[in-house]
């Protein structure tokens, strides 16, 4: 996961130096989606690279210790890490961030629609940060790998989601909960109890972070304030689409300054 650490740094640097005013950056769904990817890569490094204690690859044994009681009988019949293996963990991380999140960004960029899918993926990140890191840390009063990054992801993601309004913000959080319960936990349970191949988890995560969000965005797009305000194929920013008069006034002032 050292690649994830390097990717997180590169993505954040590119977002910061992007030739666009900050007011437009923070209202551009695609810019925010790349920030989501960068934060997720940072989480992967803290979980599977080195955490704040300097421990290497500490997430897997920590998570298995928390989940062990749920699958005690099934794990007794298995050798090695259980219920999550190194392969299963890799499938989750690669399928979620490197395929699901990135593919959603590409489709939204090319399609010019479906920005709400990006917000749904923010819901996945926020719920994951809350249930997987922040709440356990508060319950057990101890640090866990990924906790530090989750503070930023939950705060930023919560702000992004809140801008959608009450109902769609709630839907994003509900979807984040459904993702972890249906596309992750249920797949792990099926692997443990039915001896299904771990590739099931890989496909399930991709479906939940790419196919389903785009489908829901297609259905709910007209209800989303982002749909008429997202970055289109030509790169028109969210703010420009929502407030054309303000954008025209800024352009007029800029031309006057250059004269």
């Amino acid at each position: 996961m050292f690649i994830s650490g390097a990717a997180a740094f590169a993505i954040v640097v590119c977002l910061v130096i992007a030739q666009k005013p900050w007011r437009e950056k923070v209202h551009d769904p695609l810019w925010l989606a790349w920030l989501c990817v960068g934060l997720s890569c940072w989480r992967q490094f803290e979980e599977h690279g080195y955490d704040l204690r300097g421990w290497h690859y500490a997430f897997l044994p920590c998570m298995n210790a928390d989940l062990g009681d749920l699958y005690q009988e099934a794990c007794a019949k298995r050798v090695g890490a259980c219920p999550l293996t190194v392969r299963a963990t890799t499938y989750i991380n690669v399928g979620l961030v490197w395929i699901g999140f990135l593919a959603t960004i590409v489709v939204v960029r090319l399609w010019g629609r479906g920005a709400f899918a990006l917000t749904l993926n923010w819901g996945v990140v926020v719920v994951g940060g809350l249930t997987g890191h922040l709440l356990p840390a508060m319950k057990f009063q101890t640090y866990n790998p990924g906790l530090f990054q989750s503070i930023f992801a939950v705060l930023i993601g919560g702000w992004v989601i809140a801008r959608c309004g009450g109902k769609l913000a709630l839907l994003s959080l509900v979807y984040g909960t459904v993702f972890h319960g249906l596309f992750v936990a249920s797949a792990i349970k099926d692997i443990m109890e039915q001896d299904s191949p771990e590739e099931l988890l890989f496909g399930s995560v991709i479906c939940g972070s790419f196919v389903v969000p785009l489908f829901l965005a297609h259905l709910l797009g007209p209800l989303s304030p982002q749909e008429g305000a997202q970055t289109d194929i030509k790169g028109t920013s969210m703010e420009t689409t929502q407030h054309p008069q303000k954008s025209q006034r800024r352009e007029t002032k800029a031309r006057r300054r250059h004269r």
Side-chain angles (χ1 to χ4, degrees):
M1 289 301 171
F2 294 101
I3 296 177
S4 295
F9 178 78
I11 290 172
V12 171
V13 169
C14 290
L15 291 175
V16 170
I17 67 176
Q19 297 299 315
K20 183 183 294 187
W22 277 99
R23 179 185 293 271
E24 293 185 12
K25 288 180 181 179
V26 298
H27 287 86
D28 183 347
L30 289 175
W31 189 92
L32 292 171
W34 277 109
L35 179 61
C36 182
V37 173
L39 288 172
S40 298
C41 288
W42 175 15
R43 174 186 54 78
Q44 290 180 357
F45 178 77
E46 186 180 350
E47 289 179 345
H48 310 292
Y50 287 96
D51 64 16
L52 294 185
R53 300 165 298 188
W55 294 8
H56 177 53
Y57 206 72
F59 175 80
L60 188 60
C62 179
M63 181 59 69
N64 281 341
D66 293 337
L67 298 177
D69 293 339
L70 297 176
Y71 302 98
Q72 187 173 8
E73 183 177 349
C75 287
K77 304 175 183 178
R78 293 173 176 261
V79 178
C82 184
L84 287 177
T85 65
V86 174
R87 175 181 292 182
T89 306
T90 303
Y91 280 158
I92 293 173
N93 285 301
V94 174
L96 176 65
V97 180
W98 293 93
I99 296 180
F101 285 1
L102 290 180
T104 304
I105 291 174
V106 171
V107 171
V108 171
R109 183 72 172 88
L110 296 178
W111 187 22
R113 298 177 58 190
F116 187 56
L118 306 174
T119 306
L120 290 173
N121 281 338
W122 268 111
V124 171
V125 171
V126 170
V127 172
L130 282 172
T131 60
H133 298 284
L134 295 183
L135 293 180
M138 289 187 287
K139 178 180 179 180
F140 298 109
Q141 295 294 300
T142 185
Y143 169 82
N144 59 70
L147 173 63
F148 185 62
Q149 178 275 345
S150 294
I151 297 174
F152 296 92
V154 170
L155 290 176
I156 296 173
W159 171 75
V160 172
I161 291 172
R163 295 189 309 153
C164 293
K167 292 182 179 180
L168 292 179
L170 179 61
L171 176 60
S172 298
L173 295 176
V174 169
Y175 182 74
T177 305
V178 170
F179 173 86
H180 287 88
L182 179 62
F183 295 103
V184 178
S186 293
I188 293 174
K189 182 179 180 181
D190 196 62
I191 292 170
M192 296 299 300
E193 296 180 355
Q194 305 298 328
D195 288 327
S196 300
E198 291 182 322
E199 285 71 22
L200 171 67
L201 182 59
F202 188 50
S204 179
V205 168
I206 294 175
C207 181
S209 59
F210 173 52
V211 179
V212 176
L214 285 172
F215 176 72
L216 291 176
H218 176 68
L219 293 179
L220 302 173
L223 302 177
S224 172
Q226 290 179 316
E227 196 59 53
Q230 75 177 77
T231 300
D232 62 17
I233 297 177
K234 296 181 180 179
T236 304
S237 72
M238 182 176 187
E239 185 181 0
T240 302
T241 310
Q242 282 186 320
H243 307 290
Q245 294 180 350
K246 291 183 180 180
S247 300
Q248 291 175 1
R249 286 198 295 267
R250 283 199 300 270
E251 292 176 1
T252 302
K253 291 180 181 179
R255 285 196 295 268
R256 289 175 179 174
R257 285 196 297 268
H258 287 296
R259 289 178 181 177

